[in-house]
Amino acid sequence: PRMACLHRVLGGYNELPEGFTYMEYLTATAAMDISRSTAKRWLKKMLKQNLVAYDNGIYRKVHSTE
């Protein structure tokens, strides 16, 4: 189940634009039928995994240079 959860996070991640605000993120995740509490948890996870970076009110996708 844990991997399935991460898979859903990545599925949601792919739907996100390159750069987005917190409100845009909540709107996008709501459109994906994801609850606000889950969305918040995912955002924390994505930041921790360095999938997104936060700067000056904008979240940006981090693309590994590999």
Side-chain angles (χ1 to χ4, degrees):
R2 199 167 278 247
M3 278 311 288
C5 179
L6 185 63
H7 185 72
R8 274 194 74 199
V9 171
L10 292 175
Y13 174 78
N14 291 334
E15 297 287 317
L16 294 169
E18 284 298 310
F20 50 92
T21 65
Y22 185 62
M23 287 313 294
E24 287 169 341
Y25 172 75
L26 289 181
T27 303
T29 50
M32 293 176 223
D33 234 11
I34 296 157
S35 75
R36 187 170 283 216
S37 59
T38 300
K40 285 180 182 175
R41 202 164 54 243
W42 283 10
L43 191 56
K44 276 193 191 128
K45 218 173 251 182
M46 289 189 291
L47 285 164
K48 199 175 170 188
Q49 301 287 335
N50 288 318
L51 290 172
V52 294
Y54 179 75
D55 183 44
N56 214 14
I58 304 288
Y59 292 91
R60 293 200 183 284
K61 287 185 177 182
V62 175
H63 298 280
S64 62
T65 49
E66 294 171 67

